[in-house]
Amino acid sequence: MAIVGAILGDIAGSRWERKRENTLDWKHIELFTDKCFYTDDTVLTLATKYKFQNHISFVDSYHKFGNDYPKCGYGGRFYRWLSSYDKKAYNSYGNGAAMRCSYIGEYFNTESEVIEWATKSAECTHNHPEGIKGAVVTSMCIYMAKKGASKAEILDYARKQYPMTSYEYSVEYELNKYRDTYKWDVSCQGSVPVAIRCFLDSEDYESFIRNVLSLNCDTDTLCAIGGGIAEEFYQGTGFNEEWILKNYLDDDLYKIARS
């Protein structure tokens, strides 16, 4: 389940957001410790699933979960949106559009549905073209992995969306380049292609997580974005998912994750 891959990724990356040391032993560090926690990535990922389960709008679901879980690390503009009266989208291209959409790629079974609903999930807040693209590309890569696409096919799709001729952080660059050059970036265009590259250069779900931790990046969000792709492609995470979900989520979030 892509949604589980995204949540585990968020939890594993949580303790390193803005706290990653340059000497971090990312190849061997324990991934799940008592210093880990869920963040806004998990809360809004589950809000996306809740929207479909309860037949409400994305706006209402994101508002509900954001206000029910107000101290999870949302961006400043999203915080203001949570307290706004008109609930208008604010033209964001932040990576929040991409970290919450894993359920869409997991749930729908046609490309047109994935694109339609990923677009809708983003545009209620992140209605900048790059915000929408981030959600669509993430959802489509999850969908492709679920349908048995190869890494070469996923790369070919992502390359067309983020070519090096137009993007500083293109999926075409190999991970070793990013380890030397990548700088903290919370935009979709600076997060989604790099998260996909971390997946492409992985051997399993765990090595994907470790690839993200090898970068000075928005660790929890890149792990959430690529975590859904990696989980679907490798058909599991290799971790004790039940224990992790029960140990880190509260009862309400756990029930949605497992429903």
Side-chain angles (χ1 to χ4, degrees):
M1 295 172 61
I3 194 170
V4 172
I7 292 170
L8 265 61
D10 174 45
I11 293 169
S14 61
R15 65 181 172 133
W16 302 113
E17 183 179 16
R18 300 189 183 277
K19 297 178 181 177
R20 183 188 177 280
E21 303 168 355
N22 290 332
T23 57
L24 177 67
D25 184 7
W26 53 270
K27 290 183 178 180
H28 304 104
I29 192 76
E30 187 176 353
L31 296 181
F32 297 98
T33 74
D34 58 6
K35 294 181 180 179
C36 295
F37 49 92
Y38 68 82
T39 78
D40 57 327
D41 299 26
T42 290
V43 171
L44 295 180
T45 291
L46 292 171
T48 299
K49 184 175 183 179
Y50 184 89
K51 171 261 185 295
F52 289 105
Q53 288 179 324
N54 293 275
H55 309 289
I56 61 175
S57 69
F58 284 113
V59 168
D60 287 345
S61 193
Y62 294 151
H63 243 262
K64 169 181 167 54
F65 278 73
N67 285 296
D68 286 350
Y69 297 88
K71 297 181 179 180
C72 292
Y74 308 107
R77 297 177 76 186
F78 188 80
Y79 265 122
R80 291 191 291 274
W81 181 80
L82 288 176
S83 60
S84 66
Y85 175 76
D86 56 21
K87 302 179 183 178
K88 288 184 178 179
Y90 46 91
N91 200 39
S92 174
Y93 50 79
N95 57 20
M99 56 79 162
R100 66 194 188 194
C101 63
S102 54
Y103 184 70
I104 294 170
E106 170 191 320
Y107 180 71
F108 290 102
N109 287 310
T110 67
E111 181 177 325
S112 61
E113 288 177 310
V114 171
I115 294 171
E116 174 189 356
W117 288 105
T119 298
K120 290 178 178 178
S121 77
E123 64 187 4
C124 62
T125 52
H126 296 58
N127 57 329
H128 187 282
E130 291 293 345
I132 294 171
K133 177 185 282 190
V136 170
V137 173
T138 301
S139 299
M140 276 298 299
C141 287
I142 290 169
Y143 168 80
M144 292 176 70
K146 179 183 72 175
K147 292 293 187 179
S150 66
K151 284 187 176 181
E153 290 170 323
I154 294 172
L155 171 59
D156 185 60
Y157 165 76
R159 179 192 291 124
K160 293 174 182 175
Q161 310 306 315
Y162 296 107
M164 65 172 63
T165 54
S166 302
Y167 289 88
E168 178 182 6
Y169 297 128
S170 169
V171 72
E172 296 183 70
Y173 296 118
E174 294 185 357
L175 190 56
N176 282 336
K177 172 182 171 62
Y178 284 133
R179 289 185 178 127
D180 295 329
T181 63
Y182 186 79
K183 297 179 181 179
W184 182 282
D185 193 314
V186 295
S187 69
C188 271
Q189 57 269 37
S191 301
V192 173
V194 180
I196 296 171
R197 188 75 245 182
C198 287
F199 154 69
L200 292 169
D201 287 0
S202 68
E203 298 175 353
D204 52 25
Y205 180 87
E206 179 177 342
S207 64
F208 156 74
I209 296 294
R210 295 189 184 279
N211 282 344
V212 175
L213 298 185
S214 75
L215 304 177
N216 182 20
C217 67
D218 188 0
T219 50
D220 58 330
T221 299
L222 266 70
C223 283
I225 291 170
I229 306 170
E231 194 283 337
E232 288 289 354
F233 185 85
Y234 294 118
Q235 299 182 14
T237 65
F239 292 98
N240 186 340
E241 298 168 3
E242 187 68 13
W243 180 88
I244 293 170
L245 293 175
K246 278 195 169 183
N247 191 60
Y248 290 99
L249 302 185
D250 67 22
D251 288 344
D252 291 336
L253 294 178
Y254 173 80
K255 287 176 184 177
I256 299 169
R258 282 311 202 194
S259 60

